[in-house]
Amino acid sequence: MARIRIDADRQVGVVDRKIFSGFVEHLGRCIYGGLYDPTDPSADEHGFRTDVAAAIKALDPPVLRWPGGNFVSNYQWTDGIGPRDERPVRMELAWHLTESNQVGTDEFLQWCEREHYEPYLCVNMGSGTFEQAQAWVEYCNAPAGTYWADRRVANGRVEPYGVKLWALGNEMYGEYQVGALTAEQYVAKARAFAKVMQRTDHTIRLVSCGKDGLSEWDRIVLDGLADLVQMHSIHVYTGSPDYWVNVLSPYQADRALRRMRALIDDVTYRRSIDHEITVAYDEWNVWYRYTEGIWEPSDQPPLEERYDLSDALAVATYLNIFVRHARTVGMANLAQMVNVIAPIFTAPGQLFLQTIYHPIRLVSEHTQEIALDVQVDGPTHELVETPETVHWLLPAPVADLNPFQMLDVAATRDVERSVLVLTVVNRDPSDSVPTTIELRDVVADGTGEAHTVTHRDPAARNDFDAPDEVAPRTTSFIARGGELVFDFPPCSVTVLRIPTVASRG
Ligand code: AHR
């Protein structure tokens, strides 16, 4: 029997809904053939697929990051504005593809406006200059009357877009990145970019380009840019064909966020920074099959990872970690939204929802504002890492975090204490875990809901001909008092929504 203890008074932070944000890159079939395809039966008058838009909408991402990713480091944003038939087709050097430029700044920002997403643009710090970044902020945000703002007006858009979130480059530490830099070179270059961008619009919020939260790069970059940025970006991708490594490797994010908290506190104190700095986990997901050639033949579009139930558990664990680190995480962007390592998978005229879609949707829908401390006692698992089980995408082993609780739990409540939401991941592949949930300072009072994603086979997947092989199931229950008993099925994610009232106990 496991025991989960939650005290409604023990807050660990306020959840920023931006942790449910997304990322779309000009890569393979993410934009072209995913988000945008004027030939698709579901396309709207602008060429964007309405079926994809509806599936994204249900995930309710507050922010979408664009246009890359590695793509951005060789992207000239000026190629993507003005009459479409005059836009150049470019060689794309990050992913060895071509870029038609049919979706550019105006198309993306207007789609975001129609769909009510806040755009988050990443500037090209690879082949790009600070003059080009400055011009992009002017094009997006300045009122008419200067050169780049007037180019926007000439392209049919009078009102500035008012883009607030801007990233200073993408993964600039990577040898694979066009224009890769050392940390010191990056800091010097980013300071020049930041200053002209902020002088163009002092209301923008800048994001420094970090690495994985664990590297020297993060320390040097945060130290060099803390006075200019509001967020520091880090990325994490994990995954392994080994079940236990796959479901436990998201704890990389937990370790990274603990270190980032320490780095942020340190630099804030040492350099007397008077504004808040948070982490933008602006790329995260399970991603290993494509990279290792496990899934796709080489003639398929790139990065079209196909997810199973174990990946859904991993993704739910990531979200639980972001909730538990609510004080530190200001934004997290699932990489990516459509086709490319994504929860939504399309073909012409149809789509299906991958396994990972369901926990993301449920957690996004039900998570409340106040993150609570949670104590879990129950069965545990010891991870045995061998060179064979540790996948190279893991930045560091996680076995030193042994033993792992079989249940991973995050809890949130609303300000009024009228509802408590728990996301419970049971990693045990074969056994359910009977659990007592013990409440303090609130008691359950009414009809609750349990939304569960599970399957008898941890390797179960969805597909065009079996779109609901892994799908959520909802049951209701009557809950009264300070103790509830649940049996969490093997290999499952359960979102429990419990109506509560304050207690004096
Ligand atoms: O999301 C896919 C790629 O992963 C991005 O382009 C890059 O930033 C990261 O390495």
Side-chain angles (χ1 to χ4, degrees), residues 409-420:
V409 185
T412 57
R413 67 161 167 83
D414 63 346
V415 176
E416 296 77 22
R417 294 162 189 265
S418 65
V419 63
L420 180 69

Side-chain angles (χ1 to χ4, degrees), residues 23 25 27 65 67-72 94-95 170-171 173 176-177 235 237 283-284 287 303 335-336 340-341:
F23 168 41
E25 177 169 12
L27 197 187
R65 178 176 183 248
N70 298 342
F71 167 80
V72 80
W95 301 103
N170 176 72
E171 296 187 359
Y173 51 83
Y176 51 86
Q177 198 71 214
H235 293 174
Y237 292 104
E283 290 186 31
W284 69 271
W287 172 21
L303 277 66
Q336 301 190 12
V340 170
I341 43 174

Side-chain angles (χ1 to χ4, degrees), residues 14-23 61-66 118-121 164-167 205-207 230-235 257 277-284 319 322 325-334:
V14 174
V15 177
D16 192 320
R17 268 209 58 82
K18 290 203 290 300
I19 66 169
F20 300 112
S21 296
F23 168 41
V63 174
L64 287 181
R65 178 176 183 248
W66 178 84
E118 179 176 356
Y120 166 33
L121 302 191
K164 293 290 175 233
L165 289 167
W166 294 82
R205 294 165 60 77
L206 293 176
V207 183
Q230 283 71 38
M231 287 196 231
H232 179 81
S233 128
I234 56 176
H235 293 174
L257 287 167
I277 298 175
T278 57
V279 168
Y281 233 129
D282 60 16
E283 290 186 31
W284 69 271
L319 292 173
F322 300 152
H325 287 276
R327 203 182 133 230
T328 304
V329 188
M331 176 164 66
N333 304 67
L334 177 71

Side-chain angles (χ1 to χ4, degrees), residues 261-277:
R261 182 72 262 154
L263 286 181
I264 290 169
D265 287 347
D266 175 59
V267 77
T268 303
Y269 173 73
R270 216 167 13 80
R271 300 198 44 207
S272 304
I273 303 295
D274 59 5
H275 61 267
E276 190 187 28
I277 298 175

